[in-house]
């Protein structure tokens, strides 16, 4: 399990390790570019609707904490 606290440690996080990839990309379109930048072809993947962010990072060999930080930044930038 991740020790990630988010970029604003007391604020409610919008994304966490257990967030489903498909829901994340549907709810926060700005996060799609983060997946693409890491060459994670989760966009359109049928597994995305049942795969969470932690599983996706593990399978692609990407640091979960750093990836969550990038997702938070993408969401914040889109707000």
């Amino acid at each position: 399990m991740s020790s990630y606290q988010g970029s604003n440690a007391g604020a409610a996080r919008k994304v966490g390790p257990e967030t489903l990839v498909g829901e994340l990309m549907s709810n926060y379109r700005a996060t799609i570019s983060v997946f693409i930048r890491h060459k994670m072809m989760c966009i359109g993947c049928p597994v995305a609707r049942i795969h969470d962010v932690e599983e996706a990072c593990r399978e692609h060999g990407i640091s979960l904490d750093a990836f969550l930080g990038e997702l938070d930044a993408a969401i914040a930038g889109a707000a």
Side-chain angles (χ1 to χ4, degrees):
M1 183 59 78
S2 170
S3 61
Y4 181 72
Q5 296 297 313
S7 55
N8 297 320
R13 285 192 334 220
K14 297 193 184 319
V15 61
E18 68 291 336
T19 303
L20 295 176
V21 171
E23 285 181 14
L24 175 63
M25 291 187 290
S26 291
N27 294 336
Y28 303 101
R29 296 256 186 225
T31 63
I32 292 172
S33 63
V34 178
F35 286 91
I36 292 171
R37 186 169 46 252
H38 286 279
K39 297 179 178 26
M40 298 169 77
M41 295 299 118
C42 300
I43 303 95
C45 175
V47 178
R49 60 189 183 88
I50 60 170
H51 221 190
D52 66 31
V53 173
E54 185 171 25
E55 292 166 332
C57 285
R58 183 173 45 248
E59 288 188 13
H60 290 276
I62 295 169
S63 164
L64 175 62
D65 290 341
F67 192 72
L68 287 171
E70 288 184 50
L71 292 173
D72 278 347
I75 292 168

